[in-house]
């Protein structure tokens, strides 16, 4: 149907749009997630904790543990990539919202949403390269992770992090997480942290606040 | 069934919306205001309004289903409704603070099943009122009745059956599904139902445990106890962990086992997984995966033993000091002429050395890999060979566990930190009974292998004692076949969970009374005559504890009032006892004797009595286990975590201080004194011969059997992650993370022209099921995997649409009682038959597995 898009042109267009329609908030500190792709057992306790806390029906999943596997029997591999909202430095969802229901918090960079303003146009869902905004078919609105702002404001951690049985999911100041300077159980003594893993959208699109400990098969060659 | 009602998912929101719509608008506009001014942080939330913690009451409790762990759940409630759940965050224990999570006292974080409890509590399948069957048995038609009507009916029937058919007429099929608490305890052997039926004087017991009977037998024969487990923190000290059929990413055995193993990995421990599947555990611990043909584990272990003996790598000093029957030198005097384990392995008598090459032909693992693993295991100290339960759920599964114990012993990895003697693996021993526990706890007049009940009912009285595994007695009832006319289920979905369901369906039609006590309308419940609604652990006072590993107690207050007309199991059996003593004069004071701290008003209000039982229990804890925390403080905190000076290691005392093992010889019995001295196998509970030393014995069905011409796939039925057996099958949140499916190797799928999502029918002579296919390289060719526990759902032809593998399993247990859950040959093909993932229309989808080429 459609011609194959010229990605260079798209990139230029995106850059222009970001520059023109939105001047990103510059938070004092940016929270971000870190996930260890290897040590994660893929139990999805984080997903269920999130659904319970946010009272979600079947369908929307704020947090998604993605199972990746490959190889040929018996030489196989498997790992997990765990993502919710990446609370991007330049969130793609934000400028698409006709009612201003999405905004970025100035103190910690959390991309928050007020779904009671949502008119269900689903533009943000289409805009996000990571699938963070989730359609609630019962309510006919979009909802998404807000990093449990209530817990953050009370000085605690989001429910998903506190649910992690393996302690491989955590939050922290994203700059420090990328530099490996933030003390967290998610990172083992010999682990490296990266900003991108295989088959993940280009971080330059929205500058997602997420760090990973990659699987050896999940590394992106730079 | 109904669609899930999202007011149940989010009750707080609905009720709040009605009363404070104005507040919603205010919160929203303040969000906009913040945008405009760029100052105050927003108060908004994915949905509004949202109760913050300070608006809710916080109550510490725990999960309660049948798995080896027990984790903390923290209920946040508004009035009588639980709004959300959280878990341990370090704040609740003595000396706790938010985020405290040390290796000595790690947080007890609940798993995905525990986190989904709210949906189970408020599920459409929740049983809220006593019900009685109105249609045919199994038709699923019930009417609501009063407690009086239900209990009087049961009491009358019980007396009638006992009078007419004798003391074996009622089969106890209680299991550990509805509770693992110290007071309200459903259990197979010594739960509340067992004591109730025993004191009533009519009970046939089911002795073999579905999950681990092969392992139990092995541990008892070898070590004289099933307490052969280290506490889970000991795993952090291993240098090599061999996970034999063990997938701790799915089955949580101990509060933090998987986490301590991650610590071991960070300390440089190497991992090996022996399993037909490349499991998530294999992936997370970056293990060397050795795929093996199902049911051939004993052969591979024998091959390893041969390599170790051949190269003289065994720990001979350990063997000489602690082991009986490992070799000719350690055979007991009275059995000097009998075959030792080394004789068998080296082929001294049968002239078949059990070489790695011999093993390769059976188990499909190359001799080179067998040698490499044996060498690694013999040379790495300390090394943990964890012989898990799954490979023991086979025909002759006990031989695998016995063989593993032999290999553990020959390398001297028993009783040392970082080693492993598991086995059953039960670790630290808790004070587990607050209910009246006395000489009446396990009375029975017949006791049979649990999966032989249908065979017994269908063939009575033409049944031989060995066919049903009658446990011996010292009186005239010895060997007498029970005349079963009734079944009681308590915390048990056994009709859905035992083997060969089609045979069970034939058998249940012959019964005169079937009673199901549960908090959920289970698939078994649909075959009952009376359904009794049992209050869940959120609705009764108790203390939770792990039964397998983990050293802690979690207080479980009555978080909310019981829903509907539900009562606790203890209330129900107490009230039934009072009714029975009126009908049967021989049962004088049955009610009082069954529940000594209560009077008849217990059925209306159990609170004071339950508290009294728990206070008395806590006194025992304080006295026996050196706990100084008061009961009131325990209640206030909600959790008590024990700390040890050094990790608990099974048999440390025996190895370090020479304390004898609990076997007849006081040694680790690779050559079993008990088994060697049996003269008439028919008069044992096992019924058929079992060798005194571990041996490879060909199973009834396996990939080396001629039957593979007709049924070319070996099916295994492991425990799933998204359910605990059949519990939680009806939970939408869990249903959307995994799907009931059949896992098949990619090359097999190509040959059959199958892709992921295709529907297949899977069958053998015993039944047929319909499930979608999951195609993967992570499964051994020729092996298919269907997770146990989906809720049976028969179509008009008697085909199971849910994909419950127990329509295909065989109801022939191993001699030692191991269920043959993983001994199944099947065939499969693409089908147009319908699959139904659940009884309802709720959403279900498989979360994608992203296939990426390397």
């Amino acid at each position: 149907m459609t011609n194959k898009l010229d990605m260079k042109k798209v990139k230029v267009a995106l850059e222009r749009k970001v520059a023109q329609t939105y001047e990103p908030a510059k938070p004092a500190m940016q929270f971000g997630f870190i996930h260890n792709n290897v040590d994660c057992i893929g139990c999805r306790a984080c997903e269920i904790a999130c659904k319970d806390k946010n009272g979600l029906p079947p369908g929307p999943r704020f947090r998604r543990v993605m199972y990746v596997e490959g190889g040929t029997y018996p030489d196989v591999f498997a790992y997990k990539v765990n993502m919710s909202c990446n609370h991007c430095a330049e969130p793609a969802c934000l400028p698409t919202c006709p009612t201003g229901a999405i905004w970025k918090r100035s103190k910690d960079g959390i991309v928050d949403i007020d779904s009671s303003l949502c008119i269900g146009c689903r533009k943000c869902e289409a805009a996000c390269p990571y699938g963070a905004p989730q359609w609630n078919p019962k309510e006919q609105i979009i909802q998404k992770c807000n990093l449990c702002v209530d817990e953050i404001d009370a000085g605690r951690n989001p429910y998903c992090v506190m649910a992690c049985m393996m302690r491989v999911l955590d939050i922290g100041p994203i700059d420090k997480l990328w530099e490996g300077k933030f003390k967290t159980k998610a990172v083992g003594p010999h682990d490296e942290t990266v900003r991108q893993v295989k088959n993940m959208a280009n971080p330059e699109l929205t500058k997602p606040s997420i760090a990973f400990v990659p699987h050896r098969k999940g590394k992106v060659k730079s | 069934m109904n669609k899930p009602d999202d007011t149940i998912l989010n009750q707080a929101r609905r009720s709040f919306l009605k009363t404070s719509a104005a507040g919603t608008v205010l919160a929203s506009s303040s969000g906009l205001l913040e945008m405009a001014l760029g100052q105050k942080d927003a108060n908004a939330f994915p949905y509004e309004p949202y109760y913050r913690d300070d608006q809710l009451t916080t109550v510490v409790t725990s999960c309660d289903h049948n798995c080896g762990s027990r984790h903390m759940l923290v209920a946040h409630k508004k009035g009588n409704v639980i709004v959300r759940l959280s878990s341990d965050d370090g704040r609740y224990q003595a000396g706790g603070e938010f985020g405290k999570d040390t290796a000595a006292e790690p947080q007890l974080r609940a798993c995905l099943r525990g986190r989904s409890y709210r949906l189970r509590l408020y599920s459409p399948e929740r049983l809220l009122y006593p019900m009685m069957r109105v249609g045919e048995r199994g038709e699923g038609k019930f009417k609501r009745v009063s407690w009086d009507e239900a209990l009087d009916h049961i009491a009358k029937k019980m007396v009638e059956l006992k009078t007419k058919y004798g003391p074996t007429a009622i089969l106890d099929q209680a299991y550990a599904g509805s509770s693992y608490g110290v007071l309200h305890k459903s259990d197979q052997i010594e739960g509340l139902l067992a004591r109730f039926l025993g004191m009533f004087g009519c009970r046939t017991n089911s002795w073999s445990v579905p999950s681990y009977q092969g392992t139990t037998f092995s541990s008892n024969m070898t070590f004289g106890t099933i307490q052969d487990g280290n506490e889970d923190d000991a795993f952090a000290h291993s240098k090599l962990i061999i996970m034999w059929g063990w997938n701790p990413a799915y089955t949580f055995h101990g509060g933090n086992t998987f986490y301590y193993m991650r610590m071991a990995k960070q300390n440089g421990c190497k991992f090996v997984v022996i399993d037909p599947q490349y499991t998530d555990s294999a992936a997370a611990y970056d293990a060397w995966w050795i795929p093996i043909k199902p049911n051939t584990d004993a052969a591979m272990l024998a091959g390893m033993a041969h390599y170790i003996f051949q190269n003289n790598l065994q720990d001979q000093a350990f063997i000489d000091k602690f082991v009986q029957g490992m070799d000719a030198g350690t055979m007991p005097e009275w059995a000097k002429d009998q075959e030792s384990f080394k004789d068998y392995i080296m082929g001294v008598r049968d002239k078949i050395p059990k070489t790695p090459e011999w093993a390769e032909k059976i188990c499909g693992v190359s001799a080179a890999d067998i040698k490499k693993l044996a060498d690694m295991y013999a040379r790495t100290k300390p090394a943990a060979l964890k012989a898990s339960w799954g490979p023991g759920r086979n025909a002759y599964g006990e031989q695998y566990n016995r063989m593993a114990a032999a290999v553990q012993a020959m390398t001297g990895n028993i009783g040392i930190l970082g080693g492993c003697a598991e086995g059953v693996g039960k670790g630290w021993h808790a004070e587990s009974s607050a209910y009246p526990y006395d000489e009446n706890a396990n009375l029975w007049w017949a006791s049979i292998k649990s999966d032989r009940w249908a065979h017994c009912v269908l063939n009575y009285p033409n049944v031989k004692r060995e066919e049903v595994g009658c446990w011996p007695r010292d009186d005239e009832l010895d060997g007498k076949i029970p005349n079963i006319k009734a079944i009681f289920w308590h915390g048990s979905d056994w009709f859905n969970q035992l083997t060969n369901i089609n045979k069970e369906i034939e058998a249940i039609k012959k019964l005169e009374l079937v009673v199901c006590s549960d908090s959920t309308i289970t698939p078994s419940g649909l075959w009952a005559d009376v359904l009794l609604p049992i209050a869940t652990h959120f609705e009764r006072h108790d203390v939770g504890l792990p039964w397998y590993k983990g050293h802690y107690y979690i207080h479980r207050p009555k978080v909310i009032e019981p829903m509907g007309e539900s009562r606790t199991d203890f209330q129900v059996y107490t009230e039934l006892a009072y009714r029975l003593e009126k009908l049967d004069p021989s049962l004088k004071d049955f009610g009082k004797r069954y529940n000594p701290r209560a009077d008849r008003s217990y059925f209306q209000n159990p609170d004071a009595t339950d508290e009294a039982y728990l206070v008395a229990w806590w006194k025992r804890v304080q006295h026996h286990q050196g706990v100084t925390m008061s009961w009131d403080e325990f209640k206030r905190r909600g959790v008590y975590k024990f700390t040890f000076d050094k990790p608990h290691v099974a048999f440390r005392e025996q190895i370090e201080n020479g304390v004898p093992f609990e076997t007849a010889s006081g040694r680790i019995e690779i050559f079993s004194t008990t088994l060697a001295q049996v003269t008439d196998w028919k008069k044992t509970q096992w019924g058929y011969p079992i060798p005194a030393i571990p041996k490879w014995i060909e199973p009834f069905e396996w990939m080396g059997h001629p039957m593979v011409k007709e049924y070319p796939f070996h099916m295994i039925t492991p425990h799933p992650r998204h359910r605990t057996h059949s519990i939680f099958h009806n939970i939408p949140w869990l249903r959307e993370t995994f799907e009931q499916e059949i896992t098949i190797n990619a090359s097999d799928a190509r040959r059959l022209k199958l892709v992921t999502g295709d529907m297949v029918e899977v069958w053998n002579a015993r039944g047929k099921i319909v499930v979608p296919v999951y195609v993967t390289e992570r499964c051994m060719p020729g092996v298919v995997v269907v997770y146990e526990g989906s809720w049976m759902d028969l179509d008009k032809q008697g085909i199971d649409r849910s994909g419950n593998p127990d329509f295909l399993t065989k109801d022939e247990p191993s001699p030692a009682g191991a269920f043959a859950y993983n001994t199944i040959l099947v065939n499969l093909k693409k089908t147009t038959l319908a699959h139904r993932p659940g009884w309802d229309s709720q959403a279900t989808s498989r979360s994608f597995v992203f296939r990426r080429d390397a």
Side-chain angles (χ1 to χ4, degrees), chain B residues 527-584:
Chain B
W527 291 85
D529 301 337
V530 189
L531 300 173
L532 301 177
I534 303 299
T536 69
H537 63 291
F538 290 113
E539 300 152 294
R540 62 194 185 194
H541 191 186
D542 211 330
V543 172
L545 73 170
W547 78 264
Y548 189 75
K549 289 174 195 290
H551 28 281
Y552 47 85
Y553 294 115
I554 304 176
H555 183 238
R556 282 209 297 245
K558 196 190 242 186
V559 181
I560 55 172
E561 286 303 311
M563 289 170 64
E565 289 178 5
S566 57
R567 296 283 192 276
T568 73
D569 35 21
F570 204 15
Q571 278 180 295
V572 170
Y573 299 132
T574 302
E575 177 61 24
L576 260 177
Y578 276 108
R579 285 173 199 242
L580 282 163
E581 72 181 46
K582 292 224 168 76
L583 296 178
D584 181 347

Side-chain angles (χ1 to χ4, degrees), chain A residues 22 36-62 65-80 94 99-108 112-117 136 138-139 141-151 153-169 184-191 198-200 213 215-217, chain B residues 3-6 9-10 13-14 24 27-29 31-32 34-35 38-39 41-48 50-53 71 76 83-91 98-99 101-102 106-113 115-116 118-119 248-250 252 255-256 258-259 262 265-266 276 278-281 283-286 289 291-292 721 732-734 736-738 745 774-781 842-843 846-854:
Chain A
Y22 173 58
N36 189 319
N37 291 179
V38 186
D39 291 359
C40 173
I41 56 174
C43 75
R44 291 186 164 136
C46 53
E47 283 191 22
I48 305 298
C50 172
K51 294 201 71 144
D52 179 58
K53 185 193 184 228
N54 292 301
L56 299 179
R61 291 161 71 203
F62 290 0
V65 181
M66 291 167 275
Y67 292 4
V68 184
E69 63 178 54
T72 306
Y73 175 87
D75 182 20
V76 295
F77 66 88
Y79 61 90
K80 319 286 180 283
L94 191 153
T99 61
I102 303 173
W103 70 97
K104 194 166 172 69
R105 304 211 315 177
S106 53
K107 73 171 174 187
D108 49 21
D112 206 345
I113 182 167
D114 181 348
S115 291
S116 61
L117 292 181
N136 184 330
K138 287 200 189 307
E139 308 278 343
I141 54 168
I142 290 285
Q143 300 172 299
K144 74 166 200 72
C145 158
N146 68 353
L147 222 144
C148 293
V149 282
D150 56 329
E151 292 294 300
D153 290 345
R156 298 192 292 264
N157 288 332
Y159 265 48
C160 55
V161 167
M162 294 311 292
C164 184
M165 303 184 89
M166 287 293 271
R167 285 77 161 170
V168 294
L169 181 68
T184 167
K185 287 185 177 175
V187 183
H190 312 294
D191 293 337
K198 246 188 196 174
N199 304 299
M200 170 181 156
V213 174
H215 190 271
R216 63 179 184 279
K217 298 283 194 182
Chain B
K3 287 199 295 182
D5 182 352
D6 64 352
L9 292 171
N10 190 3
R13 178 175 187 215
R14 292 294 153 138
T24 315
S28 314
S29 55
L32 280 173
E34 185 264 346
M35 280 279 288
Q39 290 173 347
D41 279 324
N43 244 354
F45 219 77
Y47 57 91
E48 288 285 345
Y50 184 85
Y51 287 122
R52 279 155 198 279
D53 278 356
H71 291 119
H76 303 272
V83 175
R84 62 175 171 266
L85 294 172
S86 62
S87 191
D88 195 357
D89 60 15
R91 268 185 288 181
F98 178 81
D101 188 25
T102 62
Q107 289 176 19
L108 309 169
R109 296 184 174 185
C111 74
L112 73 167
R113 303 180 290 255
R115 302 300 299 236
S116 76
R118 220 155 50 86
L119 288 202
Y250 273 34
F252 299 146
N256 278 291
F258 36 79
Y259 176 50
R262 182 173 178 234
K265 184 182 165 190
Q266 293 179 347
Y278 184 74
T279 55
D280 277 350
S281 299
Y285 299 110
D286 204 11
W289 177 38
I292 185 169
R721 172 153 65 193
W733 291 340
L734 298 176
E736 83 183 337
T737 63
F738 297 88
N745 173 275
Y774 162 47
V775 176
T776 180
E777 298 282 359
R778 293 170 65 177
C779 180
M780 188 177 196
Q842 71 197 5
R846 190 183 209 293
S847 308
F848 285 106
V849 172
F850 296 93
R851 160 81 201 169
R852 302 293 186 214
D853 289 314

Side-chain angles (χ1 to χ4, degrees), chain B residues 346-392:
Chain B
M346 305 315 281
V348 172
R349 298 189 183 209
D350 61 7
K351 305 300 170 206
I352 304 170
K354 312 301 176 300
T355 61
E357 289 75 17
W358 166 86
E360 175 181 330
K361 291 197 189 88
I362 295 166
C363 66
V365 180
S366 75
D369 281 348
I370 295 172
K371 289 176 192 172
K372 185 177 156 192
L373 180 63
D375 202 77
M376 263 170 88
Y377 182 53
R379 290 182 200 274
T380 312
K381 311 265 178 208
L385 193 172
K386 162 81 180 178
S388 191
W389 304 349

